[in-house]
Structure formats: structure tokens, C-alpha cells
Amino acid sequence: MSGKPPPGHFSLLYFSSASSYTKKSSEYLKAPLQLSKLFDELEKKYPGIGEKVLSSCAVTINLDYVDVEEDCSENTTKQSSSLIIRDGDEVAIIPPVSSG
């Protein structure tokens, strides 16, 4: 995968354990997609990824960190306030990194 996503899609980048779990470093998904639905979509494609990888990951949209849990809880009360991943966006799934 290189360059921009095809029209109507966004880029999804996987790092570390997310890349190992999906066996991909990146892929394209259809846009628009509510941020609160991203993990559900990934769980459908990669059963078990939620518990094993996503539960402890950080997420960025266009290099800005976003809080998926906060977005999900807001989504239950304010549907319109949910962040939307748009056509051409770059989303990254970043598992925790240990140092030593």
C-alpha cells in the first residue's frame, strides 16, 4: 500500500502487535466511518483482535491522538458528536510500547 487511499476509503496503519495480529502493516477501509464503530469493524474482520490488541491501543487520526472509549460513551448520548473518519484520512492503531 502506498500513497493515498482510493476514493471513498481511508488508510488504516497497523503497528507492532496490531500488525502481527492482522498480518498486515496497512489496509484501506470504506469511509465515512464513525470512530466508535472502528473497533467493531476490525473485530468482524479479525475475530479476537478487540481483547488481544485493541483494548490497550492508542488510535490516531491524521496524526492526532483520539480517545475511542470516550467517543463510544459520547456516542450513546450524542450521536452527532461522534468523530467521523473521512475519505482520505489516515488512521493508526498503536499498541503500547515497552522500554527497558
Side-chain angles (χ1 to χ4, degrees):
M1 184 176 106
S2 63
K4 291 185 171 188
H9 292 76
F10 64 91
S11 302
L12 183 58
L13 309 177
Y14 299 108
F15 294 93
S16 189
S17 61
S19 178
S20 297
Y21 197 91
T22 62
K23 299 186 180 4
K24 297 178 179 181
S25 60
S26 62
E27 68 180 310
Y28 300 124
L29 295 180
K30 288 187 179 184
L33 179 67
Q34 288 182 342
L35 176 61
S36 60
K37 304 288 185 200
L38 176 62
F39 285 5
D40 293 338
E41 289 297 314
L42 294 175
E43 185 67 30
K44 287 179 198 172
K45 289 182 74 137
Y46 308 104
I49 195 171
E51 181 181 334
K52 294 179 181 171
V53 178
L54 301 177
S55 62
S56 60
C57 285
V59 176
T60 64
I61 299 177
N62 299 325
L63 303 178
D64 291 325
Y65 282 90
V66 294
D67 189 342
V68 176
E69 288 183 12
E70 183 176 298
D71 191 65
C72 288
S73 65
E74 283 180 11
N75 190 39
T76 60
T77 56
K78 293 182 178 178
Q79 186 77 11
S80 62
S81 70
S82 182
L83 287 171
I84 303 293
I85 303 168
R86 302 197 183 282
D87 181 16
D89 281 353
E90 180 183 80
V91 177
I93 305 294
I94 307 169
V97 179
S98 63
S99 60

Coordinates of all heavy atoms in Angstrom, one line a residue:
M1 N 0.9 -1.2 0.0 CA 0.0 0.0 0.0 C 0.9 1.2 0.0 O 1.8 1.4 0.8 CB -0.9 0.0 1.3 CG -1.9 1.1 1.3 SD -3.0 1.0 2.7 CE -2.3 2.3 3.7
S2 N 0.6 2.1 -0.9 CA 1.4 3.3 -0.9 C 0.5 4.5 -1.4 O -0.4 4.3 -2.1 CB 2.6 3.2 -1.8 OG 2.2 3.0 -3.1
G3 N 0.9 5.7 -1.0 CA 0.1 6.8 -1.4 C -1.2 7.0 -0.8 O -1.5 6.5 0.3
K4 N -2.1 7.7 -1.5 CA -3.4 7.9 -1.0 C -4.4 6.8 -1.1 O -4.2 6.0 -2.1 CB -4.0 9.1 -1.7 CG -3.3 10.4 -1.4 CD -4.1 11.6 -2.1 CE -3.5 12.9 -1.7 NZ -4.4 14.0 -2.2
P5 N -5.4 6.7 -0.3 CA -6.4 5.6 -0.4 C -7.2 5.9 -1.6 O -7.3 7.0 -2.1 CB -7.2 5.7 0.9 CG -7.0 7.0 1.4 CD -5.6 7.5 0.9
P6 N -7.9 4.8 -2.2 CA -8.8 5.1 -3.3 C -10.0 5.9 -2.8 O -10.3 6.0 -1.6 CB -9.3 3.7 -3.7 CG -8.9 2.8 -2.6 CD -7.8 3.4 -1.8
P7 N -10.7 6.6 -3.7 CA -11.8 7.4 -3.3 C -12.8 6.6 -2.5 O -13.1 5.4 -2.8 CB -12.4 7.8 -4.7 CG -11.3 7.7 -5.7 CD -10.4 6.6 -5.2
G8 N -13.3 7.3 -1.5 CA -14.3 6.6 -0.6 C -13.7 5.7 0.5 O -14.4 5.0 1.1
H9 N -12.4 5.8 0.7 CA -11.7 5.0 1.7 C -10.8 5.8 2.5 O -10.4 6.9 2.2 CB -10.9 3.9 0.9 CG -11.8 2.9 0.3 ND1 -12.4 3.1 -0.9 CD2 -12.1 1.6 0.6 CE1 -13.1 2.1 -1.3 NE2 -12.9 1.1 -0.4
F10 N -10.3 5.2 3.6 CA -9.3 5.8 4.5 C -8.2 4.8 4.7 O -8.4 3.6 4.5 CB -9.8 6.3 5.8 CG -10.4 5.3 6.7 CD1 -9.6 4.7 7.7 CD2 -11.7 4.9 6.7 CE1 -10.1 3.7 8.6 CE2 -12.3 4.0 7.6 CZ -11.4 3.4 8.5
S11 N -7.0 5.2 5.0 CA -5.9 4.3 5.2 C -5.9 3.9 6.7 O -6.1 4.8 7.6 CB -4.6 5.1 5.0 OG -4.5 5.5 3.7
L12 N -5.6 2.7 7.0 CA -5.5 2.2 8.3 C -4.1 1.5 8.5 O -3.8 0.6 7.7 CB -6.6 1.2 8.6 CG -6.7 0.6 10.0 CD1 -6.8 1.7 11.1 CD2 -7.8 -0.4 10.1
L13 N -3.3 2.1 9.4 CA -2.0 1.6 9.6 C -1.9 0.8 10.9 O -2.5 1.2 11.9 CB -1.0 2.8 9.7 CG -1.1 3.8 8.6 CD1 -0.1 5.0 8.9 CD2 -0.8 3.2 7.3
Y14 N -1.2 -0.3 10.8 CA -1.1 -1.2 12.0 C 0.4 -1.2 12.4 O 1.3 -1.3 11.6 CB -1.5 -2.6 11.7 CG -2.9 -2.8 11.2 CD1 -3.2 -3.1 9.9 CD2 -3.9 -2.7 12.1 CE1 -4.5 -3.2 9.5 CE2 -5.3 -2.9 11.7 CZ -5.6 -3.2 10.4 OH -6.9 -3.3 10.0
F15 N 0.6 -1.1 13.7 CA 1.9 -1.1 14.3 C 2.1 -2.3 15.3 O 1.1 -2.6 16.0 CB 2.3 0.2 14.9 CG 2.4 1.3 13.9 CD1 1.3 2.1 13.7 CD2 3.6 1.5 13.2 CE1 1.4 3.1 12.7 CE2 3.7 2.5 12.3 CZ 2.6 3.3 12.0
S16 N 3.3 -2.8 15.5 CA 3.6 -3.8 16.5 C 2.6 -4.9 16.5 O 2.5 -5.6 15.5 CB 3.7 -3.0 17.8 OG 4.2 -3.8 18.8
S17 N 2.0 -5.2 17.7 CA 1.2 -6.4 17.8 C -0.1 -6.3 16.9 O -0.6 -7.3 16.5 CB 0.8 -6.6 19.3 OG 0.0 -5.5 19.8
A18 N -0.5 -5.1 16.6 CA -1.6 -5.0 15.7 C -1.3 -5.5 14.3 O -2.0 -6.2 13.6 CB -2.1 -3.5 15.6
S19 N -0.1 -5.2 13.9 CA 0.4 -5.7 12.6 C 0.6 -7.2 12.6 O 0.3 -7.9 11.7 CB 1.8 -5.0 12.2 OG 2.3 -5.4 11.0
S20 N 1.2 -7.7 13.7 CA 1.4 -9.1 13.8 C 0.0 -9.9 13.8 O -0.1 -10.9 13.2 CB 2.1 -9.5 15.2 OG 3.4 -8.9 15.2
Y21 N -1.0 -9.3 14.5 CA -2.3 -10.0 14.6 C -3.0 -10.0 13.2 O -3.6 -11.0 12.8 CB -3.2 -9.3 15.6 CG -4.3 -10.1 16.0 CD1 -4.2 -11.0 17.1 CD2 -5.5 -10.1 15.4 CE1 -5.3 -11.8 17.5 CE2 -6.6 -10.9 15.7 CZ -6.5 -11.7 16.8 OH -7.5 -12.5 17.2
T22 N -3.0 -8.9 12.5 CA -3.6 -8.8 11.2 C -2.8 -9.4 10.1 O -3.3 -9.6 9.0 CB -4.0 -7.4 10.9 OG1 -2.8 -6.6 10.8 CG2 -4.9 -6.7 11.9
K23 N -1.5 -9.5 10.3 CA -0.5 -9.9 9.3 C -0.5 -8.9 8.1 O -0.2 -9.2 7.0 CB -0.9 -11.3 8.7 CG -0.8 -12.4 9.8 CD -1.0 -13.8 9.3 CE -0.9 -14.9 10.3 NZ -0.8 -14.6 11.7
K24 N -0.7 -7.6 8.5 CA -0.7 -6.5 7.6 C -0.1 -5.3 8.2 O -0.2 -5.2 9.5 CB -2.1 -6.1 7.1 CG -2.9 -7.2 6.4 CD -4.3 -6.7 6.1 CE -5.1 -7.7 5.3 NZ -6.4 -7.2 4.9
S25 N 0.6 -4.5 7.5 CA 1.0 -3.2 8.0 C 0.0 -2.1 7.8 O 0.1 -1.1 8.4 CB 2.4 -2.9 7.5 OG 2.3 -2.7 6.1
S26 N -0.8 -2.3 6.8 CA -1.8 -1.3 6.5 C -2.9 -1.9 5.6 O -2.7 -3.0 5.0 CB -1.2 -0.1 5.7 OG -0.6 -0.6 4.5
E27 N -4.0 -1.2 5.5 CA -5.1 -1.6 4.5 C -6.0 -0.4 4.4 O -5.9 0.6 5.1 CB -5.9 -2.8 5.0 CG -6.7 -2.6 6.3 CD -7.4 -3.9 6.7 OE1 -8.1 -4.5 5.8 OE2 -7.3 -4.3 7.8
Y28 N -6.9 -0.5 3.5 CA -7.9 0.6 3.3 C -9.3 0.1 3.7 O -9.7 -1.0 3.5 CB -8.1 1.0 1.8 CG -6.8 1.5 1.2 CD1 -6.2 0.9 0.0 CD2 -6.1 2.6 1.7 CE1 -5.1 1.3 -0.5 CE2 -5.0 3.0 1.1 CZ -4.4 2.4 0.0 OH -3.3 2.9 -0.6
L29 N -10.0 1.0 4.4 CA -11.4 0.7 4.8 C -12.3 1.8 4.2 O -11.9 2.9 3.9 CB -11.6 0.7 6.3 CG -10.8 -0.5 7.0 CD1 -11.1 -0.4 8.5 CD2 -11.2 -1.8 6.5
K30 N -13.6 1.4 4.1 CA -14.5 2.4 3.5 C -14.8 3.5 4.4 O -15.0 3.3 5.6 CB -15.9 1.7 3.1 CG -15.7 0.8 1.9 CD -17.0 0.2 1.5 CE -16.8 -0.7 0.3 NZ -18.1 -1.1 -0.3
A31 N -14.9 4.7 3.9 CA -15.3 5.9 4.6 C -16.6 6.5 4.0 O -16.9 6.2 2.9 CB -14.1 6.9 4.4
P32 N -17.3 7.2 4.8 CA -17.0 7.6 6.2 C -17.4 6.5 7.2 O -18.2 5.6 6.9 CB -17.9 8.8 6.4 CG -19.1 8.5 5.5 CD -18.5 7.8 4.3
L33 N -16.7 6.5 8.4 CA -17.0 5.5 9.4 C -16.9 6.3 10.8 O -15.9 7.0 11.0 CB -15.9 4.4 9.4 CG -16.0 3.3 10.4 CD1 -17.3 2.5 10.2 CD2 -14.8 2.4 10.4
Q34 N -17.9 6.1 11.6 CA -17.8 6.7 12.9 C -16.6 6.0 13.7 O -16.5 4.8 13.6 CB -19.1 6.4 13.7 CG -20.2 7.3 13.3 CD -21.5 7.0 14.1 OE1 -21.5 6.0 14.8 NE2 -22.4 7.9 14.1
L35 N -15.8 6.8 14.4 CA -14.8 6.3 15.2 C -15.3 5.2 16.1 O -14.6 4.2 16.3 CB -14.1 7.4 15.9 CG -13.0 7.0 16.9 CD1 -11.8 6.3 16.2 CD2 -12.4 8.2 17.7
S36 N -16.4 5.4 16.7 CA -17.0 4.5 17.7 C -17.3 3.1 17.0 O -17.4 2.1 17.8 CB -18.2 5.1 18.3 OG -19.2 5.3 17.3
K37 N -17.3 3.0 15.7 CA -17.6 1.8 15.0 C -16.3 1.1 14.5 O -16.4 0.0 14.0 CB -18.5 2.0 13.8 CG -19.8 2.7 14.2 CD -20.7 1.8 14.9 CE -22.1 2.4 15.1 NZ -22.8 1.8 16.2
L38 N -15.2 1.8 14.6 CA -13.9 1.2 14.0 C -13.6 -0.1 14.6 O -13.3 -1.1 13.9 CB -12.8 2.2 14.2 CG -11.4 1.7 13.8 CD1 -11.4 1.5 12.3 CD2 -10.3 2.8 14.1
F39 N -13.6 -0.2 16.0 CA -13.2 -1.5 16.6 C -14.1 -2.6 16.3 O -13.7 -3.7 16.1 CB -13.0 -1.3 18.1 CG -11.8 -0.5 18.5 CD1 -10.9 0.0 17.6 CD2 -11.5 -0.4 19.9 CE1 -9.8 0.7 18.0 CE2 -10.3 0.2 20.3 CZ -9.5 0.8 19.4
D40 N -15.4 -2.3 16.1 CA -16.4 -3.3 15.7 C -16.1 -3.8 14.4 O -16.2 -5.0 14.1 CB -17.8 -2.7 15.7 CG -18.3 -2.3 17.1 OD1 -17.8 -2.9 18.1 OD2 -19.2 -1.5 17.2
E41 N -15.7 -2.9 13.4 CA -15.4 -3.4 12.1 C -14.2 -4.2 12.1 O -14.1 -5.2 11.4 CB -15.2 -2.1 11.2 CG -16.4 -1.4 10.8 CD -17.4 -2.2 10.0 OE1 -17.0 -2.9 9.1 OE2 -18.6 -2.2 10.4
L42 N -13.2 -3.9 12.9 CA -11.9 -4.7 13.0 C -12.2 -6.0 13.6 O -11.6 -7.0 13.2 CB -10.9 -3.9 13.7 CG -10.4 -2.6 13.0 CD1 -9.4 -1.9 13.8 CD2 -9.8 -3.0 11.6
E43 N -13.1 -6.0 14.6 CA -13.4 -7.3 15.2 C -14.1 -8.3 14.3 O -13.9 -9.5 14.3 CB -14.3 -7.1 16.5 CG -14.6 -8.3 17.3 CD -13.4 -8.9 18.0 OE1 -12.5 -8.2 18.4 OE2 -13.4 -10.2 18.2
K44 N -14.9 -7.7 13.4 CA -15.6 -8.6 12.3 C -14.5 -9.2 11.4 O -14.6 -10.3 11.0 CB -16.6 -7.7 11.5 CG -17.8 -7.4 12.2 CD -18.7 -6.5 11.3 CE -19.8 -5.8 12.1 NZ -20.5 -4.8 11.3
K45 N -13.5 -8.4 11.0 CA -12.5 -8.8 10.1 C -11.5 -9.7 10.7 O -11.0 -10.6 10.1 CB -11.8 -7.6 9.5 CG -12.6 -6.8 8.5 CD -11.8 -5.7 7.9 CE -10.8 -6.3 6.9 NZ -10.7 -5.5 5.7
Y46 N -11.2 -9.4 12.0 CA -10.1 -10.2 12.7 C -10.6 -10.6 14.1 O -10.4 -9.9 15.1 CB -8.9 -9.3 12.9 CG -8.4 -8.7 11.6 CD1 -8.6 -7.3 11.3 CD2 -7.7 -9.5 10.7 CE1 -8.2 -6.8 10.1 CE2 -7.3 -8.9 9.5 CZ -7.5 -7.6 9.2 OH -7.1 -7.1 8.0
P47 N -11.4 -11.7 14.2 CA -12.0 -12.1 15.4 C -11.0 -12.2 16.6 O -9.9 -12.8 16.4 CB -12.6 -13.4 15.1 CG -12.9 -13.3 13.6 CD -11.8 -12.5 13.1
G48 N -11.3 -11.6 17.7 CA -10.4 -11.7 18.9 C -9.5 -10.5 19.0 O -8.8 -10.3 20.0
I49 N -9.4 -9.7 17.9 CA -8.4 -8.5 18.0 C -8.8 -7.5 19.1 O -7.9 -6.9 19.6 CB -8.3 -7.8 16.6 CG1 -7.1 -6.9 16.6 CG2 -9.6 -7.1 16.2 CD1 -6.7 -6.4 15.2
G50 N -10.1 -7.4 19.4 CA -10.5 -6.4 20.4 C -9.9 -6.7 21.7 O -9.3 -5.8 22.3
E51 N -10.0 -7.9 22.2 CA -9.5 -8.2 23.5 C -8.0 -8.3 23.5 O -7.3 -7.9 24.4 CB -10.1 -9.6 24.0 CG -9.6 -10.0 25.3 CD -10.2 -11.3 25.8 OE1 -11.3 -11.7 25.3 OE2 -9.6 -12.0 26.6
K52 N -7.4 -8.9 22.5 CA -6.0 -9.2 22.5 C -5.1 -8.0 22.1 O -4.0 -7.9 22.5 CB -5.7 -10.4 21.5 CG -6.3 -11.7 22.0 CD -6.0 -12.8 21.1 CE -6.6 -14.1 21.6 NZ -6.6 -15.2 20.7
V53 N -5.7 -7.1 21.3 CA -4.8 -6.0 20.8 C -5.5 -4.6 21.1 O -4.9 -3.7 21.7 CB -4.5 -6.1 19.3 CG1 -3.7 -4.9 18.8 CG2 -3.8 -7.4 19.0
L54 N -6.7 -4.4 20.6 CA -7.3 -3.1 20.6 C -7.6 -2.5 22.0 O -7.6 -1.3 22.2 CB -8.6 -3.1 19.8 CG -8.4 -3.5 18.3 CD1 -9.8 -3.5 17.6 CD2 -7.4 -2.6 17.6
S55 N -7.8 -3.4 23.0 CA -8.2 -2.9 24.3 C -7.1 -2.1 25.0 O -7.4 -1.3 25.9 CB -8.5 -4.1 25.2 OG -7.4 -5.0 25.4
S56 N -5.9 -2.2 24.5 CA -4.8 -1.4 25.1 C -4.1 -0.5 24.1 O -3.1 0.0 24.4 CB -3.8 -2.4 25.7 OG -3.3 -3.2 24.8
C57 N -4.7 -0.3 22.9 CA -4.1 0.5 21.9 C -4.5 2.0 21.9 O -5.5 2.4 22.4 CB -4.5 0.0 20.5 SG -3.7 -1.5 20.1
A58 N -3.6 2.8 21.4 CA -3.8 4.2 21.1 C -4.3 4.3 19.6 O -3.9 3.4 18.8 CB -2.6 5.0 21.3
V59 N -5.1 5.3 19.3 CA -5.5 5.5 17.9 C -5.3 6.9 17.5 O -5.5 7.8 18.3 CB -7.0 5.2 17.8 CG1 -7.6 5.5 16.4 CG2 -7.3 3.7 18.2
T60 N -4.8 7.1 16.3 CA -4.6 8.5 15.8 C -5.4 8.6 14.5 O -5.6 7.6 13.8 CB -3.1 8.8 15.5 OG1 -2.6 8.0 14.4 CG2 -2.2 8.7 16.7
I61 N -5.9 9.8 14.3 CA -6.5 10.2 13.0 C -5.7 11.4 12.5 O -5.7 12.4 13.2 CB -8.0 10.5 13.1 CG1 -8.8 9.3 13.7 CG2 -8.6 11.0 11.8 CD1 -10.3 9.6 13.9
N62 N -5.1 11.2 11.4 CA -4.2 12.3 10.8 C -3.2 12.8 11.8 O -3.1 14.0 12.0 CB -5.1 13.4 10.2 CG -6.0 12.9 9.1 OD1 -5.7 12.0 8.3 ND2 -7.2 13.4 9.1
L63 N -2.6 11.9 12.5 CA -1.5 12.1 13.4 C -2.0 12.7 14.8 O -1.2 13.0 15.6 CB -0.4 13.0 12.8 CG 0.3 12.4 11.6 CD1 1.3 13.4 11.1 CD2 0.9 11.1 11.8
D64 N -3.3 12.9 15.0 CA -3.8 13.4 16.2 C -4.4 12.2 17.0 O -5.2 11.5 16.5 CB -4.9 14.4 16.0 CG -4.4 15.7 15.4 OD1 -3.3 16.1 15.8 OD2 -5.1 16.3 14.6
Y65 N -3.9 12.1 18.3 CA -4.5 11.0 19.1 C -5.9 11.3 19.4 O -6.3 12.4 19.7 CB -3.7 10.9 20.4 CG -2.4 10.2 20.3 CD1 -1.2 10.9 19.9 CD2 -2.3 8.9 20.4 CE1 0.0 10.3 19.8 CE2 -1.1 8.2 20.2 CZ 0.1 8.9 19.9 OH 1.3 8.3 19.7
V66 N -6.7 10.2 19.4 CA -8.2 10.3 19.7 C -8.5 9.3 20.7 O -7.8 8.3 20.9 CB -9.0 10.1 18.4 CG1 -8.8 11.3 17.5 CG2 -8.8 8.8 17.8
D67 N -9.5 9.5 21.5 CA -10.0 8.6 22.6 C -11.2 7.8 22.1 O -12.3 8.3 22.1 CB -10.3 9.4 23.8 CG -10.5 8.5 25.0 OD1 -10.8 7.3 24.8 OD2 -10.4 9.0 26.2
V68 N -11.0 6.6 21.7 CA -12.0 5.8 21.2 C -13.1 5.5 22.2 O -14.3 5.6 22.0 CB -11.5 4.4 20.6 CG1 -12.6 3.5 20.1 CG2 -10.6 4.7 19.4
E69 N -12.7 5.2 23.5 CA -13.6 4.9 24.5 C -14.5 6.1 24.8 O -15.7 6.0 25.0 CB -12.9 4.4 25.8 CG -12.3 3.1 25.7 CD -11.6 2.6 27.0 OE1 -11.8 3.3 28.0 OE2 -11.0 1.6 26.9
E70 N -13.9 7.3 24.9 CA -14.7 8.5 25.1 C -15.7 8.7 24.0 O -16.8 9.1 24.3 CB -13.7 9.7 25.3 CG -14.5 11.0 25.6 CD -13.5 12.1 25.8 OE1 -12.7 12.0 26.8 OE2 -13.6 13.1 25.1
D71 N -15.2 8.5 22.8 CA -16.1 8.7 21.6 C -17.3 7.7 21.7 O -18.4 8.0 21.4 CB -15.4 8.5 20.3 CG -16.2 9.0 19.1 OD1 -16.5 10.2 19.1 OD2 -16.5 8.1 18.3
C72 N -17.0 6.5 22.1 CA -18.1 5.5 22.2 C -19.1 5.8 23.3 O -20.3 5.7 23.1 CB -17.5 4.1 22.6 SG -16.6 3.3 21.2
S73 N -18.6 6.3 24.4 CA -19.5 6.7 25.5 C -20.3 8.0 25.1 O -21.5 8.1 25.4 CB -18.8 6.9 26.8 OG -17.9 8.0 26.8
E74 N -19.7 8.9 24.4 CA -20.4 10.1 24.0 C -21.5 9.7 22.9 O -22.5 10.3 22.9 CB -19.5 11.1 23.4 CG -18.7 11.9 24.4 CD -17.8 12.9 23.7 OE1 -17.9 13.1 22.5 OE2 -16.9 13.4 24.4
N75 N -21.1 8.7 22.1 CA -22.0 8.3 21.0 C -23.3 7.8 21.6 O -24.3 7.9 20.9 CB -21.3 7.2 20.2 CG -22.0 6.9 18.9 OD1 -22.5 7.8 18.3 ND2 -22.1 5.6 18.6
T76 N -23.4 7.3 22.8 CA -24.6 6.8 23.3 C -25.6 7.9 23.7 O -26.8 7.7 23.7 CB -24.4 5.9 24.5 OG1 -23.7 6.6 25.5 CG2 -23.6 4.6 24.2
T77 N -25.0 9.1 24.0 CA -25.8 10.2 24.4 C -25.9 11.3 23.3 O -26.9 12.0 23.2 CB -25.3 10.8 25.7 OG1 -23.9 11.2 25.5 CG2 -25.4 9.9 26.8
K78 N -24.9 11.4 22.5 CA -24.9 12.5 21.5 C -24.4 11.9 20.2 O -23.2 11.9 19.9 CB -23.9 13.6 21.9 CG -24.3 14.4 23.1 CD -23.3 15.5 23.3 CE -23.6 16.4 24.4 NZ -22.6 17.4 24.6
Q79 N -25.3 11.3 19.4 CA -24.9 10.7 18.1 C -24.1 11.6 17.2 O -23.2 11.2 16.6 CB -26.2 10.2 17.4 CG -26.0 9.4 16.2 CD -25.6 8.0 16.5 OE1 -25.6 7.5 17.6 NE2 -25.1 7.3 15.4
S80 N -24.5 12.9 17.2 CA -23.9 13.8 16.3 C -22.5 14.2 16.7 O -21.7 14.8 15.9 CB -24.7 15.1 16.1 OG -24.9 15.7 17.3
S81 N -22.1 14.0 18.0 CA -20.8 14.4 18.4 C -19.7 13.4 18.1 O -18.5 13.7 18.3 CB -20.8 14.7 19.9 OG -21.0 13.5 20.6
S82 N -20.1 12.2 17.6 CA -19.1 11.2 17.4 C -18.1 11.6 16.3 O -18.5 12.2 15.2 CB -19.8 9.9 16.9 OG -18.9 8.9 16.7
L83 N -16.8 11.3 16.5 CA -15.9 11.6 15.4 C -16.1 10.8 14.2 O -16.4 9.6 14.4 CB -14.5 11.4 16.0 CG -13.9 12.4 16.9 CD1 -12.6 11.9 17.5 CD2 -13.7 13.7 16.3
I84 N -15.9 11.3 13.1 CA -16.1 10.6 11.8 C -14.8 10.5 11.1 O -14.1 11.5 10.9 CB -17.1 11.3 10.9 CG1 -18.5 11.6 11.6 CG2 -17.3 10.6 9.6 CD1 -19.2 10.3 11.8
I85 N -14.4 9.2 10.7 CA -13.2 9.0 9.9 C -13.7 9.2 8.5 O -14.6 8.6 8.0 CB -12.7 7.6 10.1 CG1 -12.4 7.3 11.6 CG2 -11.5 7.4 9.2 CD1 -12.1 5.9 11.9
R86 N -13.0 10.2 7.8 CA -13.5 10.6 6.5 C -12.6 10.1 5.4 O -11.5 9.6 5.6 CB -13.5 12.1 6.4 CG -14.4 12.7 7.5 CD -14.8 14.1 7.3 NE -15.6 14.7 8.3 CZ -16.9 14.4 8.5 NH1 -17.5 13.6 7.7 NH2 -17.5 15.0 9.5
D87 N -13.1 10.2 4.2 CA -12.4 9.8 2.9 C -11.0 10.5 2.9 O -10.9 11.7 3.2 CB -13.3 10.3 1.8 CG -12.7 10.0 0.4 OD1 -11.8 9.2 0.3 OD2 -13.2 10.7 -0.6
G88 N -10.0 9.7 2.7 CA -8.6 10.2 2.7 C -7.9 10.3 4.0 O -6.7 10.6 4.0
D89 N -8.6 10.1 5.1 CA -7.9 10.2 6.4 C -6.9 9.0 6.6 O -7.0 8.0 5.9 CB -9.0 10.1 7.6 CG -9.7 11.4 7.8 OD1 -9.4 12.4 7.2 OD2 -10.7 11.3 8.6
E90 N -6.0 9.3 7.5 CA -5.0 8.2 7.9 C -5.2 7.9 9.3 O -5.1 8.8 10.2 CB -3.6 8.7 7.6 CG -2.6 7.7 8.0 CD -1.1 8.2 7.9 OE1 -0.7 8.9 8.8 OE2 -0.5 7.9 6.8
V91 N -5.6 6.7 9.6 CA -5.8 6.2 11.0 C -4.7 5.2 11.3 O -4.3 4.4 10.5 CB -7.2 5.5 11.1 CG1 -7.4 5.0 12.5 CG2 -8.3 6.5 10.7
A92 N -4.2 5.3 12.6 CA -3.2 4.3 13.0 C -3.6 3.7 14.3 O -4.2 4.3 15.2 CB -1.8 5.1 13.2
I93 N -3.3 2.4 14.4 CA -3.6 1.6 15.6 C -2.2 1.4 16.2 O -1.3 0.7 15.6 CB -4.2 0.2 15.2 CG1 -5.5 0.4 14.5 CG2 -4.4 -0.6 16.5 CD1 -6.6 1.1 15.2
I94 N -2.0 1.9 17.4 CA -0.6 1.9 18.0 C -0.7 1.2 19.4 O -1.2 1.8 20.4 CB -0.1 3.3 18.2 CG1 -0.2 4.1 16.8 CG2 1.3 3.3 18.8 CD1 0.0 5.6 16.9
P95 N -0.2 0.0 19.5 CA -0.2 -0.7 20.7 C 0.8 -0.1 21.7 O 1.7 0.6 21.2 CB 0.2 -2.2 20.4 CG -0.1 -2.3 18.9 CD 0.1 -0.9 18.3
P96 N 0.7 -0.4 23.0 CA 1.7 0.2 23.9 C 3.1 -0.3 23.6 O 3.2 -1.4 23.1 CB 1.2 -0.3 25.3 CG 0.1 -1.3 25.0 CD -0.3 -1.2 23.6
V97 N 4.0 0.5 23.9 CA 5.4 0.2 23.7 C 6.1 0.1 25.0 O 6.0 1.0 25.8 CB 6.1 1.2 22.8 CG1 7.6 0.9 22.6 CG2 5.4 1.4 21.5
S98 N 6.9 -1.0 25.2 CA 7.6 -1.1 26.5 C 9.1 -0.7 26.3 O 9.6 -0.9 25.2 CB 7.5 -2.5 27.1 OG 8.1 -3.4 26.2
S99 N 9.7 -0.2 27.3 CA 11.1 0.2 27.2 C 11.8 -0.5 28.3 O 11.2 -0.9 29.3 CB 11.3 1.7 27.2 OG 10.8 2.2 28.4
G100 N 13.1 -0.6 28.2 CA 13.8 -1.3 29.2 C 15.2 -1.2 29.1 O 16.1 -1.0 28.6

